[in-house]
């Protein structure tokens, strides 16, 4: 190469590096220090924590804000791809040190670019959110940018997994991007999400509320159900995102990865039944029962603090990823409520979208009775569960542990709603309702007119129990495929999942179903 060409090339390369450094510095030292003082990592530190070491490849480094007057290195968002456990993942990380991570049109364009790329190659999208929302200076252009992102969140739903980590502010309409994704994870003290902030609320409704009380991680984990998981800090959230990805395929065109285990697939689990209280009215820890059955006792519970009467989460059985749904009799007696129905239905649909078989553990007396539940639409919400289970084409294995009554029996992955295999423990009771209720309805007059109503009632309840409160009536009619020794549950579930590996289902033509929302 000629000397003058070489000099010219070196000069340009030096300028390129200088520009790159400027972008990498983000909002500068003072703002970075402020970010750290708030217990938060910077966008680039977060990407390093999320991705396999050295795997991050940046795209759109030199993209600039539309308004050249704005000082916005990197346009306030770092985008690209990398790997998690060796699998490609597309990422964007909003940089709060640059104009508060606010979203302008080109900031959105960078996000949209990696979203489109992710779908082209069939890889998950992980968004790290830390933003003051729409960039005020850009006006409607900023809103348009959000629109472009939201549209892709919706259209790519079920195409590739989309995971949102909320690690700072996420306010106004901006919350709808995470809300449209499959999973929302929040950092305990630094993240908040709300549509309208405390000041606006105060002026409109006179309610006085702090950021944390209104939209902090705890509120979204316990009350609103917006957050699927809450972790103590950025690093813990990002470690969870990595773990979560391990249960999911890269796209709907693939199956979830298998996880090697030394846990014998035919391991007997006598401790499973030992955890179940023999008195059907007494609670017991369903989560502990699940842990005895799955590989290595590893169960990643999702939304653990929301609608605790139902348990959902991921595990592996015999190396296969499974989604687990279970009633928890220690909360509201394990009944199905509005929130529980929403939680389970959404989870079943997530599993179905990504080929994760669903294993359901049943101990349920019914939908929670009450005016509040009826008036708030338990019919509409409960219908989601029926719909989700019926619609799901993934392998579905059900284990009836104890009670399974009425509409809830159907809703909790019954054969008629499409379960592939229904197993019952000998402790199971499958009936229209519990013995007490049934005796009252069927024998009201006889009980009231008897000389000793209490004794008559007790006798009739016992008679009903003998006739209905066991799994064999349902098994005799074929609604239960097998009654099993609880200690063999792991072996049975694993065997059925292996058998169902090649399951295919044809559905009648439709544009799309109309899930009750
Ligand atoms: C442009 C913004 C900004 C915004 C903050 N900044 N919000 N720049 N557009 N929306 C800038 C600040 O000027 C500041 O710049 C830097 O970001 C950090 O902001 P601070 O206020 O210093 O940070 P902090 O004290 O931590 O407070 C964070 C905050 C606050 C609570 C998020 O900044 C805030 O309330 N911002 C406004 C939030 C908002 O109303 N957003 C619009 C929501 S509506 P310097 O140069 O000083 O570092 C929305 C609609 C979306 O998003 C609709 C989608 C359909």
């Amino acid at each position: 190469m000629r000397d003058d060409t070489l000099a010219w090339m070196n000069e340009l390369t030096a300028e390129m590096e200088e520009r790159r450094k400027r972008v990498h510095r983000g909002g500068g030292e003072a703002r970075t220090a402020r970010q750290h003082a708030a217990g938060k990592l910077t966008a680039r530190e977060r990407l390093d924590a999320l991705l396999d070491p050295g795997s991050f490849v940046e795209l759109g480094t030199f993209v600039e804000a539309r308004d050249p007057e704005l000082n916005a290195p990197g346009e306030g968002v770092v985008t690209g791809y990398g790997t998690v456990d060796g699998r490609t993942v597309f990422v964007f990380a909003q940089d709060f040190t640059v104009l508060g991570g606010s979203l302008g049109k080109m900031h959105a364009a960078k996000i949209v670019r990696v979203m489109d790329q992710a779908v082209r190659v069939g890889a998950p999208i992980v968004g790290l959110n830390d933003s003051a929302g729409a960039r005020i200076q850009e006006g409607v252009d900023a809103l348009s940018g959000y629109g472009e992102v939201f549209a892709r969140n919706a259209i790519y739903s079920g195409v590739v997994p989309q995971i949102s980590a909320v690690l700072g502010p996420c306010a106004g309409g901006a919350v709808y991007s995470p809300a449209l994704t499959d999973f929302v994870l929040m950092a305990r003290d630094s993240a908040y999400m709300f549509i309208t902030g405390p000041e606006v609320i105060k002026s409109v409704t006179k309610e006085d509320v702090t950021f944390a009380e209104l939209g902090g991680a705890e509120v979204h984990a316990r009350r609103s159900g917006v957050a699927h998981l809450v972790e103590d800090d950025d690093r813990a959230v990002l470690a969870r995102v990595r773990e979560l990805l391990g249960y999911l395929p890269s796209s709907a065109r693939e199956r979830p990865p298998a996880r090697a285990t030394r846990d014998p697939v035919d391991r007997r689990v006598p401790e499973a039944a030992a955890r179940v209280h023999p008195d059907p009215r007494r609670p017991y820890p369903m989560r502990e029962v699940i842990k005895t059955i799955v590989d290595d006792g590893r169960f990643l519970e999702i939304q653990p603090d929301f609608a605790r009467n139902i348990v959902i989460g991921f595990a592996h059985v015999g190396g296969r990823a499974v989604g687990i749904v279970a009633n928890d009799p220690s909360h509201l007696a394990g009944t199905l409520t509005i929130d529980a129905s929403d939680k389970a239905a959404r989870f079943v649909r997530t599993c179905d979208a990504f080929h994760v078989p669903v294993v359901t553990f049943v101990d349920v007396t019914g939908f929670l009775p009450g005016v509040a539940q009826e008036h708030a639409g338990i019919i509409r919400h409960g219908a989601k569960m029926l719909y989700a289970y019926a619609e799901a084409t993934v392998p579905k294995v059900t284990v009836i542990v104890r009670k399974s009554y009425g509409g809830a029996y159907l809703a909790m992955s019954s054969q008629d709603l499409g379960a592939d295999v229904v197993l019952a423990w000998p402790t199971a009771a499958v009936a229209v309702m519990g013995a007490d209720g049934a005796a009252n309805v069927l024998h009201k007059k006889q009980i009231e007119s008897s000389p000793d109503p209490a004794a008559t009632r007790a006798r009739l309840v016992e008679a009903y129990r003998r006739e209905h409160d066991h799994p064999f009536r349902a098994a005799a009619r074929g609604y239960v495929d097998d009654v099993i020794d609880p200690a063999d549950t792991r072996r049975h579930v694993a065997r059925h999942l292996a058998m169902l590996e090649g399951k295919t289902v044809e559905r009648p033509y439709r544009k799309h179903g109309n899930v009750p929302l």
Side-chain angles (χ1 to χ4, degrees):
M1 205 184 294
R2 289 167 43 150
D3 280 357
D4 53 349
T5 309
L6 196 59
W8 172 66
M9 188 69 82
N10 285 344
E11 200 179 308
L12 290 179
T13 307
E15 188 194 330
M16 176 193 77
E17 286 309 329
E18 190 43 49
R19 280 171 180 258
R20 191 188 305 280
K21 270 192 212 146
R22 222 178 304 147
V23 169
H24 281 217
R25 276 197 294 270
E29 276 175 27
R31 291 193 187 89
T32 299
R34 203 174 151 207
Q35 180 86 348
H36 286 154
K40 303 198 289 184
L41 299 175
T42 64
R44 286 174 195 279
E45 288 166 347
R46 285 169 177 161
L47 290 174
D48 284 343
L50 171 70
L51 300 168
D52 295 339
S55 70
F56 178 55
V57 179
E58 187 167 356
L59 297 171
T61 312
F62 302 108
V63 170
E64 292 181 3
R66 276 197 170 174
D67 177 356
E69 299 293 305
L70 284 177
N71 177 23
E75 238 309 48
V77 64
V78 186
T79 55
Y81 63 94
T83 58
V84 168
D85 291 330
R87 298 155 73 211
T88 299
V89 173
F90 284 79
V91 287
F92 65 88
Q94 294 181 308
D95 184 350
F96 192 79
T97 69
V98 175
L99 298 175
S102 58
L103 183 140
K105 183 75 175 178
M106 297 309 291
H107 176 124
K110 284 182 75 171
I111 295 175
V112 160
R113 181 85 181 140
V114 284
M115 292 178 85
D116 291 344
Q117 198 73 276
V119 165
R120 272 196 290 271
V121 305
I125 302 161
V126 178
L128 311 184
N129 298 262
D130 187 359
S131 166
R135 184 173 299 155
I136 296 164
Q137 299 91 323
E138 292 203 23
V140 69
D141 281 343
L143 299 184
S144 159
Y146 270 119
E148 288 183 288
V149 176
F150 297 166
R152 280 164 180 80
N153 288 137
I155 305 296
Y156 297 162
S157 174
V159 179
V160 295
Q162 300 181 59
I163 299 179
S164 301
V166 179
L167 304 168
C170 188
V175 296
Y176 285 120
S177 178
L180 285 163
T181 62
D182 300 304
F183 297 99
V184 176
L185 293 87
M186 293 180 78
R188 195 174 305 284
D189 296 322
S190 45
Y192 52 86
M193 301 174 76
F194 44 70
I195 300 275
T196 38
E199 278 173 32
V200 176
I201 289 185
K202 190 162 187 187
S203 70
V204 175
T205 68
K206 313 280 177 260
E207 289 164 298
D208 222 336
V209 68
T210 65
F211 277 42
E213 287 164 353
L214 182 63
E218 289 297 321
V219 166
H220 287 307
R222 289 177 195 282
R223 305 199 56 183
S224 72
V226 168
H228 292 90
L229 289 163
V230 172
E231 305 296 338
D232 283 344
D233 57 21
D234 288 10
R235 281 189 197 283
V237 169
L238 299 168
R240 264 298 184 238
V241 172
R242 287 178 62 91
E243 184 183 354
L244 191 51
L245 285 166
Y247 293 98
L248 300 167
S250 292
S251 80
R253 293 191 189 283
E254 295 177 21
R255 306 280 149 161
R259 187 168 74 194
T261 178
R262 294 206 175 146
D263 195 352
V265 85
D266 56 356
R267 174 172 55 85
R268 283 177 56 82
V269 289
E271 66 278 25
R275 300 204 187 251
V276 177
H277 203 284
D279 180 345
R281 282 162 303 192
R282 297 286 292 277
Y284 59 89
M286 182 59 102
R287 289 164 185 79
E288 299 304 315
V289 175
I290 294 166
K291 283 183 191 164
T292 64
I293 292 164
V294 299
D295 288 359
D296 308 301
R298 272 176 72 177
F299 175 52
L300 174 57
E301 189 172 351
I302 305 291
Q303 291 179 306
D305 297 318
F306 177 66
R308 288 182 65 88
N309 39 325
I310 202 139
V311 180
I312 59 170
F314 291 110
H316 287 84
V317 175
R320 287 186 175 79
V322 291
I324 288 178
V325 179
N327 310 108
D328 183 2
S330 34
H331 294 273
L332 294 173
T335 49
L336 297 179
T337 53
I338 287 171
D339 285 346
S341 303
D342 286 0
K343 175 176 163 180
R346 169 89 175 146
F347 183 68
V348 169
R349 299 192 91 221
T350 304
C351 290
D352 190 46
F354 294 115
H355 306 285
V356 181
V358 178
V359 180
T360 306
F361 293 93
V362 186
D363 187 348
V364 65
T365 49
F367 287 90
L368 180 68
V371 175
Q373 288 281 308
E374 295 288 345
H375 285 188
I378 184 70
I379 297 174
R380 187 160 52 85
H381 292 271
K384 296 179 199 186
M385 272 191 82
L386 300 161
Y387 192 102
Y389 269 119
E391 168 195 53
T393 57
V394 284
K396 290 173 282 189
V397 175
T398 304
V399 181
I400 305 175
V401 171
R402 219 170 48 170
K403 308 167 301 291
S404 187
Y405 293 150
Y409 152 75
L410 287 177
M412 290 297 293
S413 199
S414 57
Q415 241 189 38
D416 294 302
L417 266 284
D420 297 293
V421 178
V422 177
L423 305 170
W425 288 5
T427 45
V430 184
V432 172
M433 63 174 78
D436 290 309
N440 279 342
V441 173
L442 293 176
H443 309 296
K444 193 165 179 253
K445 284 196 189 116
Q446 192 185 343
I447 292 169
E448 281 171 359
S449 60
S450 103
D452 184 351
T456 308
R457 201 173 162 283
R459 185 174 49 75
L460 289 167
V461 165
E462 190 47 38
Y464 180 91
R465 222 170 244 145
R466 268 200 306 276
E467 197 176 340
H468 293 275
D469 251 11
H470 52 73
F472 297 105
R473 209 177 154 103
R477 285 159 173 74
Y479 301 126
V480 164
D481 292 291
D482 200 1
V483 183
I484 61 168
D485 179 345
D488 288 327
T489 304
R490 176 173 161 80
R491 180 167 67 88
H492 281 286
V493 170
R495 213 160 47 179
H496 292 305
L497 288 173
M499 173 275 286
L500 289 163
E501 184 92 0
K503 178 184 174 187
T504 54
V505 177
E506 290 285 320
R507 298 286 197 216
Y509 169 79
R510 64 181 172 190
K511 183 159 181 279
H512 66 69
N514 195 5
V515 60
L517 294 172

